[in-house]
Amino acid sequence: MRLILLCLICMTLPVLAQDSIVFGVHSNTAPLEWRNNGVDQGFNIELMNRIGQLTNKRIIVRRKSFQQLLHDVHNPNSDIDVITVVSPVNMDRQLAQSDPIYATHAKAYTLQGKALINNWADLVGKRVAIKKGAFVDVYLSDKLQKFDRVDVDLYETGFQLLIKNQVDVVIAESFVARRLQPMYPSVRSSSDALIYGAFNFVANATKAEQMNQINDALRQLKLSGEYDLLVNKWFGTGREKVDLTFTEKRLFALAIVVAFISAAGLVYTGFISASLRRHAKALNAELTQRKLIEAEISELSQQFQSVLDGIPNGVTIVNQALQHLWSNDNNIHLLDSAEFYYIDNDVFNLKTAVFNVLSSQTSFTADMRYQQQFWQLQLHPIAYDQVVILLEESTEQHRLRQANEEASRLASLGELSAGIAHEINNPTGLIVHAVSLFSAAMKDLTPAASHYQKQNPFWLIAGLQPDVAIKELQYSCGSIEEGAKRISRIVNDLKRYAMPHIADEYTRVCLNDVVQVAQRLTANQTKAHQVSIILSALSPCINGDAQQLHQVLINLIQNACNASAAKQAEIVIETSVQDDKAILSIVDNGCGMNSATLKRITEPFFTTRRNEGGSGLGLSVCSKIIKEHQGEMQILSTLGHGTRIRLTFALAH
């Protein structure tokens, strides 16, 4: 029995005498270090086993957590001799370190849909998960970090925090991240390599001699080519080692599902194929017919579009939200212009107009103004929430209508004035002649009345004292004479209003001279007002009658003074030349006029000063004189903000 025990001891002595290397493993990442059916395997483990064979040392694999392995490798008394870690390129750890084993890198990982990380600057202000003790941690140890660092024990912990939105970015080593991504489909790679590193064997500094032996064996494997065979085995092109058992089960289940789907697909495909063949002929015939119809519709649509694009009027279709559904783009800019308003100066709002038309489902037509042009606007409902807008310029029609109305007034006034002028002038002349006689007689009777009053102190004339009565008679004679002259002036204005124009008598007239003459003749009316005269240095001249032009400007100045009677008036009279036209304008800051007054301002006998003695013929005569001079009169006025009258004439050449 003792002999047998002695033999066993002798047989085990070589084994016990053989040194061992405890290889600490923490990873489950294929193909570096992983476990299949309870057997430790992978590139690092097989490489370490070959190194053990070359150094005549037994390799013992012991699995621990990464943090425990880092702690143990720094402890000279630990049970771990060697571990495999990644070190940044050109940076050595403070341990006994082998030659590089296999290159790797780390990059940024984020959730799907987040912005890409192009460089370290893109991490500023973000929450970044870093594995404590990993080569990323070593790389950043002496660098300024402008992001919020979150330390984790494992890269997988970082991915879990990323899913929970507790970090924004995870910087992970590529082999580990490649294994984790299938388990976290919402995580994606978001950058190129940010850090390059290499796998190394490291040991406690007290085991430097052991690390030298490992390095010698590693170099021998590289020189012999056996290292390359291991690399090709575990990292061959297009291949990555995986858990074969799990993969086989998953592929088998997937194959069964695919088989059932394929069988059902074959049956369904046969049924569909038969049905499709039956309908193919019918569909081909229908398709041919539809192509013919579409060609006809397309041709008709193009013809219709050409017609709409060719008409000068604007045509636009809008919905209730004022979205342009279609337009021929003719004059459509008017609808959004602030200068496009109703002919009575009311503000135009397209949204309000469209809403009213859709609410009432009735068409709407209005006359509009835009600068010096007149337009007709039409809105027609064509659907529950759509309106067609038509724009047509009516400037010429408006002018013709105005000319026709004025011609009608002139004709009627001419007939009236011709009939009554003679009848009014005769009695007016008698009144003036009689008043002159009464005035002369009162002068002669005044001494006689004074003499008689001395003889008869109680003598009265019409119940008044003789001297008072004579003064009243003299005042009454003056009033009668003034009234008769006013009647005569009105009759003369009527005759002038209906008088035919004689163009051959026109001469060259300077508008600057007209302004200066009118200013002198109205000096008495304008002395209480502030009058500014701005004369053009070009001295604009026109062909016309100077006396008639004086009459026009004097009338306009008097109207400006009357409009500003209640406050200190500011009147500006200006001459200018624009585009071969002579311009004469007069602006006041008086009471202004509303739209109703503006419509009738040039009508004969229309006046707002009837109680103050206005005849209503002043602007009528002015309008007639301006038209006889081939000019235009534009009146712009706002109630409470004054009036601007602009007279435009052709320059004399």
Side-chain angles (χ1 to χ4, degrees), residues 485-541:
K485 289 180 180 180
R486 183 167 177 269
I487 293 173
S488 180
R489 285 196 302 270
I490 293 174
V491 171
N492 288 334
D493 285 344
L494 277 171
K495 292 169 67 177
R496 183 180 296 277
Y497 187 77
M499 185 184 300
H501 160 60
I502 304 175
D504 295 339
E505 298 180 358
Y506 285 169
T507 59
R508 187 181 181 89
V509 179
C510 179
L511 289 186
N512 289 354
D513 296 339
V514 172
V515 173
Q516 293 172 347
V517 171
Q519 181 187 14
R520 290 195 297 271
L521 295 177
T522 58
N524 189 51
Q525 291 95 325
T526 60
K527 62 184 179 182
H529 307 309
Q530 181 180 348
V531 180
S532 301
I533 306 297
I534 304 174
L535 300 180
S536 172
L538 300 178
S539 297
C541 295

Side-chain angles (χ1 to χ4, degrees), residues 469-487:
I470 288 175
K471 290 181 180 179
E472 288 293 330
L473 288 172
Q474 290 175 344
Y475 178 76
S476 298
C477 288
S479 298
I480 294 172
E481 185 177 7
E482 179 63 29
K485 289 180 180 180
R486 183 167 177 269
I487 293 173

